[in-house]
Amino acid sequence: MLAHIGYGALLLTFLLALYAVAAAVYGALKGRPEWVESARRAVVLTWPMLTLSVLSLVALLVTNQFQIEYVASVTSRAMPLYLKITALWGGQAGSLLFWSWLMSAFTFAVMLRSWQRDREFLPWVIVVTMVTLAFFLSLNLFVENPFARLWMTPDGRVIGAMFRPHGAVPFTPRDGNGLNPLLRHPGMIAHPPLLYAGFVAFVIPYAFAMAALITGRTDARWIHITRRWSLAAWLFLSLGLILGMRWSYDVLGWGGYWGWDPVEVAALLPWLSGTAFLHSVMIQEKEGLLKHWNMVLIILTYALVIFGTFLTRSGVLSSVHAFAQSAIGPLFFGFIGITFSISLFLLMRRWDDLKSDMRIESLLSREALFTFNNMVFMGILVVSFWGVIFPILSELVTGQKVTVGPPFYEKATGPLFALMLILMGIAPLSAWGFASAKRLGRLIWIPAALAVATVVVLVILGVRSVWALVGFGLVAFVAYITLGEFIRGVRARMRRGEPVHVALARLIARNRRRYGGYIVHLGVIMMAVGIIGTHFFASETQATIPQGGSISLGHYTMTYDGLQEFYANDGRHVARAIVSVYKDGKKVATVYPRRDFYLDSQQPMTIPGVRSTWLDDFYVILVDWQPISVQGATFKVYHQPLVNWIWMGGIVFIIGTLVAVWPEPDPEEAAAKRKKKRATRQRPVPRSARA
Amino acid sequence: MSGRTRFIIGGVLIVAAVVYLIASATKANAQYFLTVNELLARQDELVGKNVRISGAVIGDTIQYDPQKLELRFTIAHVPGDNKTIEAQGGLAKVLHEAVKDPNRAHLDVVYYGPRPDMLKDEAQAIITGHLGEDGIFYADELLLKCPSHYEDAVPEQAEGGN
């Protein structure tokens, strides 16, 4: 019954979306606003309808309705309630439904905004968002139906179908398969929805960009309207990526956080193009430059969003992440191909309208440095994309599948990340329009001198790796520049008599975009510290030791104090070791590396015991154990210097984004308000006189 | 030289750097991605070369020596092409049949490190490493995929119709 409600709501939403597209196109082309309004209402209805569908599926999940194929494949009786709810995005069909739900929710919010000044955009925003929604809904309706029921055919096979296949009898398993234990982690529970929210939110700026191209209103208006959507999308995507890294670190038991797995790269790609987009739209807003480029970036981001969803969901590439396998691949490819071609066609049609108002005239001007940084982001994107599609390309060209692994990515992106870091530091210092090397030199010689001093200190402290020193030197240089910007701003305010904390708070609050951006940069710097630390100084060892025995690694020693085995009440058998951690002979912590064995899915899961400080992590994995013999247990131990800087940097990064995204009054509305105020105070000035 | 010219030169340099980085890193790190059959067919030329292979883990062959952290298991040939896999009824089915079929080409694998959680019968292993003179594949990196499909687990627990 619930399944029928859920499926019916899906079908109705699909029809609503198709109707909205048709009505919006008709209304726009024939100049009939009542049809556009009707389309808008249809769009507004999609969200409650899909919410009904999602709630039906959640109800099926939490009440153990294992006759539903999806429920049986992702939940089991032993799972706690919150995991049953989050199993909504634990499998392919459910996560596609969740994607659609987010799409309709965001479009709903867009539909409710005030459209008075942008009436002409409305029908085309409806068309783009609803075509996207209809595509994803069609996947759910016709290929991956989350509401399909299980049936036993006369020849004894179990299949999933919405309606009774000929001669089949209903089939209900006693228990479900349960969610893959690897996915039962707080980071993994929040990671997919955040990533998807980031993916989906980027559809909104894309929709407005297409509306701008179709209507020919190609000024920066579409950028002003969608600035906060882009930032929000970026925020979600960044959070999703960071949580994914954290999940990898906590769960996969290899001491790492990023493996250049194709699916990780797939989520990184739209983030890269989105980051480039966020920066280059600033240049269009300030200087009227790069209009074509911004269109290209948002079109690319949209394509990469769909591509990313496709990669994670199609299993086309060999990857640990591809938990899903299905036939939806060709459909995705078709959709990406068609939307990408149409977008490019629209862009070509408006090419001449998008001519820049100005040209870049100076190598060191801020717009030039921003452009370079954009190119570096695109370079990293091309490298990453190349790595992902290289196996497919090589097979097409030579008939032989050739892959590239993490060393390829590290080698090719390393110098680009370094260049990005430098530009990130210098670009904000240079001026719009024209900047001289002399002026820039005046601003950077103190940070440069301090960075050199930092490197000297590091050498004295015993750091010998040349590349690590180069990396730390660069990071220090950029950090001092960025902090210097805060100091300059605060001092200027203090001269006006503000105490330091007020000055800092006001500095940030009055220029949220600028200083939010700087805070983001500080977060990136902190993450870079962590990445350099783990990349150059990580070490590991392993040993089998009896109870009471110990393993040493660097300044650390761990002793194996004992083992406990018990059944947890959520369907796990737990074996955990009690390990004392000593640093330079002094006991600093007790950690509990363990192995959980999930009875429903018959799968073990290794959870490390970690002693974590801002300086380093001591990371212990219980590899194996003999409960009775004197052999004791085998441990693998990792020492990860500075890894915590990645997570702390991530938090700073997110805070910075929040500062930048925090609503400021719409500059145009604020200007209008000011104008009104002025008008009441003084005689209105005729428009021609002001212009 | 005008500022604009210098700006364009800067851009060209970045593009050139990206192209160079991609070309050199690809050349240095490309590795064949092979099925067991392909690897064995080209054994002579590929011994000692860094390659990536894929196959189905045969559960009965898994041996782990925690003292040495030495993991040994055997994989069976599975087709490498996604389309072929789909045509044969999906990855889960293909892996199942590969393990059950005694006539498939087999390859012994050695890996040193903690035993991966996902290593079990009928898992798909994607292994980076090299083939030794002794015919054993020495793995540097192990990726495992378990296509969890209800068909595998459910029928035994079936409860009849309702």
Side-chain angles (χ1 to χ4, degrees):
Chain A
M1 185 56 207
L2 264 177
H4 292 101
I5 293 175
Y7 190 75
L10 260 185
L11 189 62
L12 262 175
T13 317
F14 180 65
L15 297 175
L16 276 172
L18 291 183
Y19 166 76
V21 171
V25 171
Y26 179 78
L29 295 183
K30 296 277 170 190
R32 305 271 296 272
E34 68 274 20
W35 280 95
V36 176
E37 177 57 20
S38 166
R40 193 184 70 90
R41 288 184 186 170
V43 173
V44 167
L45 260 183
T46 60
W47 186 50
M49 289 303 285
L50 273 185
T51 305
L52 180 65
S53 188
V54 166
L55 286 178
S56 309
L57 187 56
V58 170
L60 292 166
L61 286 166
V62 298
T63 54
N64 301 325
Q65 304 294 314
F66 299 126
Q67 74 274 21
I68 304 297
E69 182 183 15
Y70 184 71
V71 177
S73 67
V74 294
T75 65
S76 62
R77 289 184 196 280
M79 271 162 59
L81 180 66
Y82 76 97
L83 279 179
K84 284 180 183 165
I85 296 172
T86 56
L88 174 62
W89 51 79
Q92 176 157 283
S95 61
L96 286 172
L97 176 62
F98 183 70
W99 208 105
S100 300
W101 180 77
L102 284 173
M103 183 76 243
S104 70
F106 290 174
T107 315
F108 181 84
V110 171
M111 287 300 119
L112 297 186
R113 70 183 290 276
S114 150
W115 284 91
Q116 278 135 353
R117 286 190 291 153
D118 318 295
R119 271 282 151 201
E120 68 267 44
F121 284 162
L122 177 58
W124 304 110
V125 169
I126 290 176
V127 169
V128 174
T129 50
M130 287 302 109
V131 165
T132 310
L133 182 66
F135 169 69
F136 277 90
L137 288 174
S138 70
L139 293 177
N140 264 149
L141 283 170
F142 308 120
V143 191
E144 287 289 339
N145 179 2
F147 297 103
R149 201 191 185 300
L150 285 171
W151 306 88
M152 175 92 80
T153 58
D155 55 350
R157 281 184 311 123
V158 176
I159 56 169
M162 196 62 214
F163 302 102
R164 180 194 292 259
H166 182 70
V169 291
F171 175 82
T172 306
R174 200 168 295 155
D175 200 353
N177 272 355
L179 196 64
N180 189 326
L182 288 174
L183 302 181
R184 301 180 194 187
H185 175 270
M188 210 43 185
I189 287 162
H191 165 77
L194 285 168
L195 219 51
Y196 276 15
F199 280 0
V200 174
F202 265 126
V203 176
I204 304 296
Y206 168 76
F208 276 89
M210 290 305 102
L213 286 180
I214 294 168
T215 57
R217 188 178 170 187
T218 49
D219 58 359
R221 179 65 189 159
W222 70 273
I223 291 172
H224 293 311
I225 297 174
T226 58
R227 188 184 87 86
R228 232 167 306 130
W229 279 104
S230 309
L231 267 176
W234 194 66
L235 173 70
F236 287 133
L237 213 48
S238 309
L239 253 176
L241 284 168
I242 293 167
L243 282 177
M245 287 158 73
R246 182 73 207 201
W247 166 75
S248 173
Y249 186 70
D250 285 349
V251 169
L252 294 185
W254 57 297
Y257 45 83
W258 185 265
W260 293 104
D261 182 275
V263 173
E264 289 169 352
V265 177
L268 181 69
L269 291 173
W271 185 87
L272 287 168
S273 62
T275 311
F277 176 73
L278 283 178
H279 286 91
S280 72
V281 293
M282 287 184 226
I283 307 176
Q284 178 168 350
E285 285 181 281
K286 291 271 187 214
E287 301 282 295
L289 290 161
L290 301 184
K291 291 177 186 172
H292 299 119
W293 182 237
N294 288 328
M295 282 291 174
V296 169
L297 281 179
I298 194 65
I299 290 169
L300 194 62
T301 305
Y302 176 77
L304 289 173
V305 157
I306 309 289
F307 183 67
T309 315
F310 156 66
L311 275 194
T312 44
R313 286 295 152 210
S314 72
V316 71
L317 297 158
S318 316
S319 151
V320 275
H321 283 67
F323 290 102
Q325 290 277 333
S326 99
I328 58 179
L331 295 171
F332 263 105
F333 254 130
F335 185 72
I336 294 171
I338 291 168
T339 52
F340 196 63
S341 315
I342 293 176
S343 308
L344 287 186
F345 166 75
L346 290 171
L347 176 58
M348 290 304 153
R349 219 168 53 116
R350 296 285 176 203
W351 194 259
D352 291 339
D353 298 354
L354 289 166
K355 280 265 153 47
S356 294
D357 313 338
M358 289 165 62
R359 298 204 313 175
I360 294 179
E361 294 295 356
S362 162
L363 177 70
L364 294 174
S365 64
R366 191 184 293 188
E367 56 268 29
L369 295 178
F370 265 57
T371 309
F372 288 151
N373 214 6
N374 245 268
M375 294 175 69
V376 173
F377 271 113
M378 293 313 284
I380 298 172
L381 190 147
V382 171
V383 169
S384 309
F385 188 69
W386 176 258
V388 170
I389 61 156
F390 188 63
I392 301 169
L393 274 186
S394 70
E395 197 173 15
L396 280 178
V397 176
T398 63
Q400 182 70 65
K401 220 174 191 172
V402 182
T403 66
V404 288
F408 161 79
Y409 292 99
E410 281 163 16
K411 194 172 165 213
T413 60
L416 294 173
F417 275 115
L419 191 55
M420 179 201 88
L421 213 57
I422 299 173
L423 288 167
M424 183 183 96
I426 297 176
L429 292 182
S430 80
W432 295 110
F434 181 79
S436 70
K438 213 170 168 186
R439 187 180 167 278
L440 260 183
R442 259 208 313 278
L443 287 168
I444 63 175
W445 77 267
I446 296 178
L450 286 173
V452 171
T454 307
V455 171
V456 171
V457 169
L458 287 174
V459 172
I460 293 168
L461 285 176
V463 178
R464 287 291 175 269
S465 157
V466 174
W467 288 112
L469 287 171
V470 170
F472 280 131
L474 274 180
V475 167
F477 175 57
V478 179
Y480 295 140
I481 292 179
T482 312
L483 289 172
E485 284 293 280
F486 280 95
I487 293 169
R488 275 205 308 167
V490 167
R491 274 167 69 184
R493 286 189 160 265
M494 283 170 72
R495 275 199 288 278
R496 280 191 259 157
E498 289 177 6
V500 60
H501 59 279
V502 175
L504 181 63
R506 286 205 183 142
L507 180 73
I508 296 170
R510 299 275 159 85
N511 312 277
R512 288 192 200 122
R513 288 178 74 167
R514 184 184 181 116
Y515 287 94
Y518 287 162
I519 295 172
V520 171
H521 288 179
L522 285 177
V524 172
I525 291 164
M526 291 170 72
M527 293 174 91
V529 170
I531 290 166
I532 295 171
T534 49
H535 187 83
F536 289 100
F537 304 108
S539 55
E540 57 183 73
T541 186
Q542 62 213 21
T544 304
I545 50 175
Q547 230 175 62
S550 65
I551 302 173
S552 290
L553 180 65
H555 290 276
Y556 285 93
T557 302
M558 59 149 278
T559 60
Y560 171 37
D561 298 343
L563 187 87
Q564 300 169 324
E565 286 190 80
F566 54 91
Y567 284 92
N569 57 11
D570 53 356
R572 282 179 299 155
H573 173 262
V574 180
R576 67 172 205 177
I578 304 161
V579 168
S580 296
V581 180
Y582 298 83
K583 187 175 186 187
D584 297 323
K586 217 173 80 200
K587 179 162 175 175
V588 287
T590 305
V591 297
Y592 305 94
R594 61 175 212 265
R595 174 82 64 88
D596 294 356
F597 189 81
Y598 284 83
L599 303 170
D600 50 9
S601 51
Q602 292 287 302
Q603 191 178 311
M605 184 163 158
T606 308
I607 314 282
V610 185
R611 193 254 176 178
S612 187
T613 67
W614 66 274
L615 202 58
D616 56 9
D617 275 19
F618 188 73
Y619 184 108
V620 183
I621 292 171
L622 175 63
V623 177
D624 203 86
W625 66 93
Q626 284 81 29
I628 13 188
S629 86
V630 286
Q631 295 287 4
T634 307
F635 295 93
K636 176 134 191 167
V637 184
Y638 296 87
H639 180 237
Q640 297 278 24
L642 302 173
V643 66
N644 249 335
W645 285 72
I646 295 175
W647 319 125
M648 292 190 291
I651 293 168
V652 171
F653 185 104
I654 298 303
I655 291 172
T657 316
L658 284 173
V659 169
V661 81
W662 205 261
E664 263 173 304
D666 183 330
E668 286 172 40
E669 269 164 33
K673 237 181 244 166
R674 270 201 303 277
K675 222 178 278 167
K676 215 184 272 170
K677 227 187 240 166
R678 226 177 333 178
T680 54
R681 263 191 275 124
Q682 48 180 249
R683 205 162 45 87
V685 186
R687 181 169 288 273
S688 56
R690 253 187 292 131
Chain B
M1 206 172 1
S2 80
R4 184 163 178 80
T5 323
R6 280 194 291 181
F7 165 70
I8 290 168
I9 292 173
V12 170
L13 281 179
I14 292 178
V15 172
V18 171
V19 171
Y20 168 76
L21 285 169
I22 289 178
S24 67
T26 305
K27 211 170 159 202
N29 296 292
Q31 45 193 207
Y32 286 120
F33 191 9
L34 304 164
T35 63
V36 174
N37 280 353
E38 286 164 348
L39 178 72
L40 295 178
R42 296 166 59 187
Q43 202 160 359
D44 300 335
E45 113 192 56
L46 288 175
V47 162
K49 290 245 173 69
N50 203 13
V51 295
R52 183 181 280 200
I53 54 167
S54 134
V57 175
I58 304 173
D60 295 339
T61 64
I62 301 174
Q63 289 173 354
Y64 189 55
D65 178 353
Q67 303 276 342
K68 294 190 271 178
L69 273 86
E70 184 185 88
L71 179 65
R72 287 178 178 273
F73 58 94
T74 304
I75 56 171
H77 170 80
V78 286
D81 182 33
N82 243 35
K83 262 190 226 114
T84 321
I85 291 173
E86 289 296 332
Q88 294 180 9
L91 187 59
K93 198 154 168 255
V94 168
L95 290 169
H96 176 75
E97 276 161 16
V99 170
K100 293 286 165 283
D101 179 0
N103 299 321
R104 293 283 175 110
H106 285 181
L107 180 67
D108 295 332
V109 179
V110 181
Y111 172 75
Y112 294 92
R115 179 185 168 146
D117 293 337
M118 308 254 284
L119 184 77
K120 53 183 174 185
D121 195 30
E122 295 179 18
Q124 184 190 11
I126 293 156
I127 312 168
T128 311
H130 68 274
L131 186 66
E133 296 279 355
D134 50 7
I136 295 175
F137 195 82
Y138 292 86
D140 302 321
E141 194 196 321
L142 264 183
L143 289 181
L144 292 150
K145 259 203 293 189
C146 294
S148 52
H149 239 255
Y150 63 93
E151 284 110 332
D152 298 334
V154 167
E156 294 95 53
Q157 318 165 11
E159 210 180 353
N162 71 333

